[in-house]
Amino acid sequence: MSCTVPDPICSDVAVIGGGIIGLSIALEAQRAGHSITLIDPEPATGATFAAAGMLAPISELHYQEEQLLALTLASAARWPEFAARITAETGMDIGFRATPTLMLGADAADRIALEDLQQARLRLGLEATRISIREARTMEPLLAPHISSAHLLTLDHQVDPRLAAAAIQKQLLAVGAEREGRGADEVLIRARARELLHQDPTDTASPVIGVVLDDGREIRAPEVVVANGLGALELGGLPHHLVLPLRPVHGDILRLRVPEHLRPLTTATVRGVVRGLPVYVVPRNDHTVVIGATSREDTNAGASAGGVHQLLRDAQVLLPAVLELELCEVTARARPGTPDNAPLLGRVEAANGTVIPGLLIATGFFRHGVLLAPIAARIITELLAGVRDPAFDHFRPDRFSPARQHQESA
Ligand code: GLY
């Protein structure tokens, strides 16, 4: 450990935020040899808790998001190895399943919309095959007979984000204990980060040297990663010139148990557009399915009755037996949205163009937190080692800051 102050809460890297992004960064940085302090009052209870865990760069493709697509594809390619390694390390199955995704249209307009998207996919060289309704129903006999179109996406898989988060946390604590002799309450600080600690307390562009917690305790670390999603908006001490344009995009998501006589409800992830609205049904190993997810930009952080109604109504258009399932859980969480739907990821430049030492940002993952976790972890760990890949400059966290935009337009 590079810490020199006589403070027990001290490590090479402090990660603020214990969602799937913060956890994965902490894990990868720990594997690279750094000692880690992870700061979160309740790890994996935010967007990670809600997430369905679709690893779906192809079915999540939206027009004009080619840069983001490169990142999602790169991360999807890392998931099999990422999942296998955490399973080997912890003995925990994290629900990684290389099962395919079926993309369905409900009515004629949905079919046209999905066919347009299919053309865009083919132009980008993405693997997606139009199949007949008969073929789709042979694969998944419980699909509704009257769907209008079907595409098979064999490369869009899934993982269980709750299991993945639990396994990563277990591994972080185990290595912290074995390699560094640190207790669980030193590796994982269950408190809220209040502000960044700067070398010059009067200058938010000076090097970051740690984190102050809500209860006044200080965590010292020469590198601090801000990975607390929307919580970054409340964190003090971020450079004054840094604009993090995060906004909450609420999602309602359901978990349902499939009764024995309907198993499996589906083996593939079923995604659909039903009268213009997206819906997905993700089957789990434990005979539950996850149905999601609405996108609400209202102020209602709790579950929306209208959202739940919409999800059940639309899911049963694709899979009528959905209405016979046991509804076990209704969850609502906010995704950290950004203006271009892409994450804010990397180091930050001060207004004078020099990098601020000790500060890394990893937030704004919007709909893609689970999918992007392995690549985010890699990018941040490489930055910790002083390696910056220009391929990822597009996602730099200060791209919306006026000073940066002036530099780019000059
Ligand atoms: N990635 C799926 C969602 O945000 O609903």
Side-chain angles (χ1 to χ4, degrees):
M1 268 185 256
S2 59
C3 190
T4 51
V5 294
D7 186 336
I9 311 177
C10 176
S11 60
D12 298 332
V13 181
V15 179
I16 303 173
I20 193 73
I21 292 294
L23 284 163
S24 301
I25 290 170
L27 179 71
E28 193 83 7
Q30 191 186 57
R31 284 174 178 163
H34 302 290
S35 61
I36 304 295
T37 306
L38 183 70
I39 304 164
D40 195 311
E42 295 175 286
T45 57
T48 300
F49 185 75
M54 288 177 296
L55 308 174
I58 301 177
S59 48
E60 287 276 358
L61 173 70
H62 290 91
Y63 296 109
Q64 319 228 302
E65 289 185 358
E66 282 81 1
Q67 305 252 28
L68 180 58
L69 176 69
L71 194 69
T72 56
L73 286 171
S75 203
R78 287 180 172 271
W79 254 107
E81 150 72 13
F82 188 76
R85 185 160 174 195
I86 193 67
T87 294
E89 286 166 339
T90 61
M92 288 174 68
D93 177 2
I94 63 169
F96 175 81
R97 290 175 71 182
T99 43
T101 295
L102 270 175
M103 190 97 198
L104 308 175
D107 65 18
D110 301 327
R111 173 169 45 79
I112 292 167
L114 287 177
E115 193 46 51
D116 287 349
L117 204 52
Q118 172 70 356
Q119 294 311 317
R121 283 192 206 107
L122 295 180
R123 276 195 298 276
L124 291 164
L126 299 172
E127 200 176 305
T129 312
R130 171 135 204 208
I131 59 172
S132 67
I133 311 301
R134 182 192 291 264
E135 285 170 310
R137 294 190 76 225
T138 303
M139 273 181 68
E140 302 294 350
L142 296 189
L143 285 183
H146 50 76
I147 50 177
S148 65
S149 71
H151 291 92
L152 178 63
L153 284 61
T154 52
L155 299 177
D156 278 2
H157 306 319
Q158 64 144 310
V159 70
D160 185 327
R162 294 181 185 177
L163 294 178
I168 294 173
Q169 185 175 317
K170 178 179 171 188
Q171 180 66 4
L172 285 172
L173 299 186
V175 173
E178 280 160 30
R179 197 173 72 192
E180 296 146 19
R182 299 164 74 217
D185 56 352
E186 291 172 78
V187 177
L188 171 58
I189 310 287
R190 291 183 181 270
R192 215 175 70 88
R194 188 172 73 203
E195 63 182 311
L196 299 175
L197 201 57
H198 286 271
Q199 196 170 65
D200 176 353
T202 65
D203 181 5
T204 60
S206 70
V208 173
I209 55 168
V211 183
V212 184
L213 305 180
D214 246 2
D215 57 16
R217 280 182 295 165
E218 284 184 8
I219 311 294
R220 294 288 181 133
E223 298 277 13
V224 176
V225 185
V226 177
N228 56 344
L230 291 162
L233 294 174
E234 274 131 51
L235 183 69
L238 284 166
H240 285 323
H241 72 283
L242 179 66
V243 174
L244 296 180
L246 297 165
R247 69 183 199 288
V249 180
H250 302 284
D252 308 294
I253 193 155
L254 316 176
R255 284 170 166 79
L256 303 95
R257 180 166 304 285
V258 182
E260 222 167 312
H261 69 282
L262 291 174
R263 292 177 192 167
L265 180 75
T266 167
T267 54
T269 292
V270 171
R271 300 188 71 137
V273 178
V274 180
R275 289 180 293 274
L277 293 173
V279 65
Y280 49 77
V281 181
V282 184
R284 290 274 195 259
N285 288 341
D286 64 358
H287 307 301
T288 61
V289 293
V290 183
I291 298 183
T294 56
S295 283
R296 297 184 282 107
E297 302 225 22
D298 56 22
T299 52
N300 183 9
S304 144
V308 174
H309 167 74
Q310 176 192 314
L311 290 175
L312 291 174
R313 181 197 66 200
D314 293 348
Q316 66 87 35
V317 170
L318 306 176
L319 286 158
V322 156
L323 294 187
E324 294 179 52
L325 309 188
E326 177 193 349
L327 180 58
C328 307
E329 187 189 304
V330 178
T331 305
R333 290 291 187 276
R335 311 171 181 89
T338 61
D340 58 5
N341 299 336
L344 306 168
L345 185 62
R347 291 200 184 269
V348 177
E349 280 184 7
N352 66 7
T354 59
V355 167
I356 299 176
L359 177 61
L360 297 113
I361 307 285
T363 181
F365 286 80
F366 188 38
R367 305 180 65 90
H368 308 296
V370 178
L371 171 58
L372 291 178
I375 195 80
R378 186 87 295 262
I379 291 170
I380 294 290
T381 304
E382 284 182 353
L383 288 171
L384 289 171
V387 179
R388 194 195 109 231
D389 185 341
F392 303 119
D393 275 358
H394 176 77
F395 305 104
R396 48 183 311 149
D398 48 10
R399 66 184 181 276
F400 295 103
S401 303
R404 177 79 204 160
Q405 291 184 329
H406 281 139
Q407 279 172 26
E408 278 183 0
S409 58

